[in-house]
Amino acid sequence: MDLSTNIANFSFKNPLMNASGALCTSYDELNALLGGSNSSLVTKSATPLYREGNPMPRYAETPLGTINSMGLANQGFDFYLNFIENNYHQKPLFLSIAGLCLEDNLAMAKKAHESKAEFLLELNLSCPNIMGKPQTGYDFQRTREVLEQVFEIYTDKPLGVKLPPYFDMVHFEQMAEILKQFPLSFVTCINSIGNGLYIDAQTESVVIKPKDGFGGLGGEYVKPTALANVRKFYELLPKSIKIIGCGGILSGKDVFEHLLCGASMVQVGSQLMKEKNQIFSRLEKELEEIMYKKNYSKIEDFKGNLKSL
């Protein structure tokens, strides 16, 4: 069974990786992902300097997923770039950045561009949990301006964007028109659905502290929205821009559905947090079983072939 896939000039032995923010902040977490059966990993979205993030508790597991408001807690850009530079020969790696302003992103993109290491850069336009900061991905003009200036600096390495979820057909089309104007290698969709609210009825309380309990939703809650975003951007964008699906992956069936919608790779977030790194070998086995039953020998046999009624 051939589970290999590719993005830009990078080849991956299977389509499985973590989602940025899920067990990828510390050295120990990254090192565990490096040794796992996942074909790749993405670092926690970095700011230029170390960031403590929002007050705790800021993450909670729920029956159908997770809710979090981490506030971009991370070790700082240099920490993650150093990890990439020391380990990029072991498997293809993604470096994720999420500056709090355009100048942050330009400074990090410049350092990444100057690095001798080979990796893919993910520009996170969709962090919903920074208090007082809107998501860039919902401001279409600002998204265009950010990409114009980043691509003046980042000229010869694969770069993609991580997007928030969209819910209106017009917004899909407007964002796709912007993205098509740039030499992007991939689009990751979706980030968590922002500003959900989970309540513990027993204590009559919210379950996380920041923003009075409002936080990003992940897990089963978001799979239909994630699939819709994967499918629509697969339809609207040129095939040179690969889609990385993220949202609601608990089983090999979920992986299969993302690939069927057009994803080239999938990222696992909430369920990775719950099951830890052994989830990847289970997902790989379950995907292979589905493909065997359907007489598919490789991902390209069915990728993007979702049928309409």
Side-chain angles (χ1 to χ4, degrees), residues 137-169:
Y138 286 144
D139 184 334
F140 294 159
Q141 181 57 38
R142 186 59 170 166
T143 295
R144 185 193 305 273
E145 293 169 356
V146 169
L147 290 175
E148 285 174 347
Q149 295 196 45
V150 167
F151 273 109
E152 288 180 3
I153 294 170
Y154 208 79
T155 56
D156 59 359
K157 288 183 178 180
L159 184 147
V161 292
K162 185 171 187 178
L163 297 177
Y166 298 99
F167 305 95
D168 192 294
M169 291 297 179

Side-chain angles (χ1 to χ4, degrees), residues 63-66 218-224 247-250 254 270-271 274:
L64 292 177
T66 59
E220 288 184 76
Y221 299 114
V222 311
K223 190 177 90 166
I249 293 176
L250 285 74
D254 300 319
S270 292
Q271 202 63 22
K274 292 183 177 185

Side-chain angles (χ1 to χ4, degrees), residues 179-246:
L179 298 178
K180 284 192 290 189
Q181 297 173 30
F182 298 94
L184 292 165
S185 295
F186 64 93
V187 169
T188 303
C189 47
I190 59 175
N191 205 330
S192 57
I193 296 180
N195 295 315
L197 188 66
Y198 188 85
I199 294 170
D200 183 337
Q202 186 67 34
T203 61
E204 303 180 13
S205 170
V206 300
V207 296
I208 58 174
K209 184 172 183 178
K211 297 165 62 177
D212 293 324
F214 286 77
L217 294 177
E220 288 184 76
Y221 299 114
V222 311
K223 190 177 90 166
T225 299
L227 292 177
N229 278 255
V230 168
R231 184 60 182 174
K232 205 62 193 171
F233 282 114
Y234 179 76
E235 292 176 341
L236 293 172
L237 294 174
K239 296 303 177 274
S240 59
I241 302 178
K242 306 295 186 179
I243 310 297
I244 301 178
C246 182

Side-chain angles (χ1 to χ4, degrees), residues 6 8 38 40 59 67 131-132 137 184 238 277:
N6 65 83
N38 48 300
S40 182
Y59 166 84
I67 184 169
M131 290 181 277
L184 292 165
N277 290 350

Side-chain angles (χ1 to χ4, degrees), residues 14-42:
N14 65 48
L16 304 173
M17 61 185 294
N18 67 301
S20 182
L23 299 183
C24 59
T25 299
S26 69
Y27 176 80
D28 287 345
E29 290 173 343
L30 289 166
N31 206 41
L33 285 169
L34 200 62
S37 58
N38 48 300
S39 69
S40 182
L41 67 84
V42 59

